[in-house]
Amino acid sequence: MPEQYTGLQEVINKQAEAPQPLLTEEQMEQINFTLIEALHTNKQVYLTYYKKGQCITEKGFIQFVDSLGNLFIFIDEVFELKNKMKLSELIDVRFT
């Protein structure tokens, strides 16, 4: 890509960024309950999280949850990769 377009692409990407949605205490508790249930029942979930200015939704399984350490491990359906993520990046968790 020619150099002059690189700056333009960055401007376009920045404009597409959205601020991270703020969750209520109730929403955070519901996410936590759903994560724990998904972990113990091994049910598949839709996981929506915030990363680099975007809200991303993936489908997969919860493998590990550490509420105190603010992290969890999610195995995505497509590549079956382990993704270590922060609980604070989560926006929504729903059963498929």
Side-chain angles (χ1 to χ4, degrees), residues 32 35-36 38-40 42 47 61-75 82-87 90:
N32 212 21
L35 277 178
I36 299 299
L39 175 68
H40 292 297
N42 202 34
L47 194 73
F61 297 91
I62 305 300
Q63 187 183 45
F64 176 78
V65 178
D66 178 3
S67 299
L68 295 175
N70 184 35
L71 69 92
F72 68 99
I73 295 175
F74 173 75
I75 299 175
K82 285 185 182 181
N83 300 287
K84 196 177 199 178
M85 302 168 112
K86 292 182 178 180
L87 288 168
L90 274 178

Side-chain angles (χ1 to χ4, degrees), residues 16-24 27-28 31 48-56 70 72 86-92:
E17 283 184 14
Q20 182 169 357
L22 295 173
L23 303 178
T24 64
Q27 287 171 311
M28 288 188 280
I31 285 172
T48 304
Y49 57 94
Y50 182 83
K51 194 152 202 135
K52 296 182 181 172
Q54 295 185 324
C55 296
I56 300 161
N70 184 35
F72 68 99
K86 292 182 178 180
L87 288 168
S88 56
E89 293 174 336
L90 274 178
I91 296 167
D92 193 27

